[in-house]
Every structure is written in C-alpha cells, then in structure tokens.
C-alpha cells in the first residue's frame, strides 16, 4: 500500500506556495486541523520530517523538497489523466497516429497541426514515415490511424477508406556530370543498364516489397527515402525517376538534367486513407480538413 497519496501531495504543494498551513487551508477549502493532520500522518508514515515549523510559517526540509519536486510530476500526470479520460468519453482519441510517404514532410501540415491543437490539445499527435507499400502496411497493421500522402493504390481485400488527394508526375533526371546527361536520344534499356540506378527501399515488413523501374541485374544504390534519392542524384551517384515537384527547382537551376526515356514512369495517385469503422473525433477532424483543401499544392 502506498504511503504517499495524491491528496497529501496536493496539500504539501499548497503549503509550499502559500507559506503556511492556514494559507493552504484557505486555498483548498479545508480546515487547518485537516491540513496539519495530513502532513503529520505523512511524516509518520514515511519516517521523515517534511516541514520545518517556525510558528505559523513553515518551510520544506531537504527531504520535503525532493518529495514535492517529484510529487508535482505525479500531480500533473494525474491531472492529464483526468482530462484524457473525459476526452475519451467525449469521443476524442488520446493519441492519433498519422502516416506519410517519405517523399513528403510533416512540416507541410504545420498550419493544420496548429489548428488541430486549438480544438484537441489533449490528443497527442504522432507522425510516422514509410516508403512505397510500407505506408499501406502501417495502416493495415494499426501502426498508424490515418495516411496522408500514401503513394500508389492500396492492398486488395478492403478494410479501409481511400480518397485520391493528388497525382504525382515523374521525371527522369541525372546530374549534369553524369554520363547519361550527354546522350542525345531517349534513353533505353541498353543505355540504362550500363549505369547505377538509385532506388528507394520499400519499408514493408510483411507485404511483398514493391520495386519500380529496375532492370534485371541492374546495379543499384538503395536508400531509405525519396529525399535521400534526390540528394544522391544531385551528387551524380546514379540515375532514376523523381517526383516532378521535388526535382523542378533543381532542373530549372541546372543542378539536374531532365532526360527522355523510352519507358517513362506513369503518373501515380496519392491517397488519404483510414481504416473502416474508425470514427474518433480527431480522425474525423483530419479527414474533413484534408478534404477541404488543395493538398496538391500543400504537400510540396
């Protein structure tokens, strides 16, 4: 059985801030005898002196200071727990996990996050990034509650709702010093096979991994996300397709050279998705918010 109660910690906190038992009694609407009894009982149970008494004024001992320092964390945790329990009863989640494909950054949602906290400041947000089919797997495995910016179509079998929020156009690009930059014709398999492809590794754990545009036996440099692929192609370490909005600025500045290929990569839909049957107030807020905006401009 615990010797320290939340009520005793609340009283010690009030005494420390007010400087006397009487001040604590006034704040907590308790008679001084109740305050005095609670403190004496705590000191007796713990076998330590919590307060030094100087007439009506009191001050914490070193043991009392340590007790109150850690005790205030417990009081704050208890207060947060009460708020969260009430929040759950009202339909708001205690935590909402949002997944994004690694080509996007959660910083694109700063304004949305700010607005969300105005109405749901007690719902914790957690962001996760996956690559390729890994985003869909995270949703189906309940590692995330909502996908914003999942690349490609989801797995068969249903169990989720999905809406297209954007379409990615791809460009084939290499650095100006890459050998393929000087080839003056659409690039085919014969030209591509001679050089290194930079690929994004699928982050799936259980589903079959997805590969895009690789030739059998192709030398590859595998990276964890699209941003790293972009940086490595800028550095001339290899070639590959990049999302046009991501590569646009580098191409206009001459840092990347866009090349024509015999087999271009087709545009790819970008989805928002959530599991069927999930109906928390936080999830609904995000779904409605994303539906009401032009995400094509925001995500990039």
């Amino acid at each position: 059985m615990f010797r320290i109660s939340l009520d005793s910690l609340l009283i010690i906190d009030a005494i420390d801030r007010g400087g006397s038992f009487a001040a604590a009694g006034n704040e907590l609407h308790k008679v001084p005898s109740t305050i005095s009894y609670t403190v004496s009982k705590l000191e007796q149970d713990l076998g330590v002196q919590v307060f030094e008494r100087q007439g009506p004024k009191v001050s914490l001992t070193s043991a009392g200071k340590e007790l109150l320092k850690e005790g205030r964390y417990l009081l704050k945790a208890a207060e947060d727990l009460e708020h969260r329990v009430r929040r759950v009863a009202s339909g708001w989640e205690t935590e909402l996990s949002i997944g994004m494909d690694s080509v996007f950054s959660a910083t694109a949602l700063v304004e949305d996050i700010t607005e969300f906290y105005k109405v749901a400041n007690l719902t914790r947000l957690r962001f996760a990034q996956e690559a390729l089919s890994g985003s869909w797997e995270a949703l189906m495995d309940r590692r995330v509650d909502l996908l914003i910016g999942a690349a490609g179509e989801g797995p068969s079998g249903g169990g989720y709702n999905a809406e297209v929020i954007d379409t990615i156009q791809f460009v084939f690009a290499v650095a100006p010093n890459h050998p393929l930059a000087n080839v003056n014709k659409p690039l085919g398999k014969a030209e591509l096979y001679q050089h290194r492809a930079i690929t994004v590794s699928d982050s799936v754990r259980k589903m079959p991994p997805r590969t895009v545009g690789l030739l059998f036996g192709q030398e590859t440099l595998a990276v964890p996300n699209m941003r790293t692929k972009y940086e490595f192609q800028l550095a001339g370490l290899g070639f590959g397709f990049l999302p046009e909005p991501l590569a646009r600025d580098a191409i206009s500045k001459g840092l990347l050279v866009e090349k024509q290929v015999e087999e271009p990569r087709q545009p790819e839909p970008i989805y928002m998705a959530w599991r069927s049957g999930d109906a928390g107030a936080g999830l609904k807020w995000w779904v409605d918010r994303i539906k009401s905006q032009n995400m094509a401009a925001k995500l990039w």
Side-chain angles (χ1 to χ4, degrees), residues 184-244:
N184 296 318
K185 66 173 185 175
L187 302 173
K189 293 181 180 179
E191 292 80 22
L192 299 179
Y193 190 81
Q194 302 174 43
H195 302 281
R196 182 187 305 110
I198 301 180
T199 65
V200 176
S201 299
D202 199 322
S203 64
V204 292
R205 305 174 189 180
K206 302 173 186 176
M207 294 168 57
R210 176 184 171 199
T211 58
V212 181
L214 287 181
L215 302 175
F216 181 75
Q218 178 93 55
E219 181 187 355
T220 61
L221 171 58
V223 297
N225 54 63
M226 186 63 75
R227 300 280 170 170
T228 303
K229 173 178 166 67
Y230 167 75
E231 295 289 344
F232 278 14
Q233 288 185 216
L234 281 176
L237 296 176
F239 68 77
F241 289 97
L242 292 169
E244 189 277 333

Side-chain angles (χ1 to χ4, degrees), residues 25-209:
N26 290 333
E27 178 182 332
L28 300 175
H29 306 291
K30 295 180 182 292
V31 296
S33 60
T34 299
I35 301 293
S36 179
Y37 172 79
T38 301
V39 172
S40 297
K41 182 70 166 57
L42 178 63
E43 290 178 326
Q44 180 182 339
D45 290 344
L46 293 178
V48 299
Q49 186 175 349
V50 176
F51 286 104
E52 295 280 1
R53 279 84 166 170
Q54 300 100 22
K57 294 293 183 181
V58 293
S59 60
L60 288 167
T61 63
S62 57
K65 289 178 181 177
E66 184 65 19
L67 174 64
L68 183 56
K69 175 186 173 184
E70 298 301 322
R72 280 175 171 153
Y73 291 120
L74 294 177
L75 290 173
K76 181 64 168 64
E79 182 183 19
D80 288 347
L81 179 58
E82 287 184 1
H83 287 310
R84 291 189 186 283
V85 169
R86 294 192 188 101
R87 198 62 148 178
V88 170
S90 69
W92 289 88
E93 302 91 334
T94 57
E95 180 176 281
L96 189 69
S97 299
I98 297 176
M100 303 182 76
D101 189 279
S102 63
V103 69
F104 305 115
S105 171
T107 56
L109 301 174
V110 167
E111 182 181 343
D112 306 289
I113 294 169
T114 301
E115 292 302 310
F116 180 75
Y117 280 140
K118 290 179 180 179
V119 297
N121 64 310
L122 294 177
T123 296
R124 291 188 298 263
L125 286 179
R126 181 167 61 86
F127 282 86
Q129 286 194 313
E130 302 283 348
L132 299 175
S133 297
S135 296
W136 290 102
E137 184 183 79
L139 179 70
M140 303 311 293
D141 280 358
R142 295 186 173 274
R143 299 198 304 273
V144 300
D145 304 302
L146 174 67
L147 294 180
I148 300 177
E153 294 185 357
S156 60
Y160 60 89
N161 300 292
E163 295 197 15
V164 176
I165 59 174
D166 194 3
T167 300
I168 295 183
Q169 305 287 336
F170 291 91
V171 295
F172 187 95
V174 295
N177 60 349
H178 192 280
L180 291 176
N182 298 317
V183 178
N184 296 318
K185 66 173 185 175
L187 302 173
K189 293 181 180 179
E191 292 80 22
L192 299 179
Y193 190 81
Q194 302 174 43
H195 302 281
R196 182 187 305 110
I198 301 180
T199 65
V200 176
S201 299
D202 199 322
S203 64
V204 292
R205 305 174 189 180
K206 302 173 186 176
M207 294 168 57

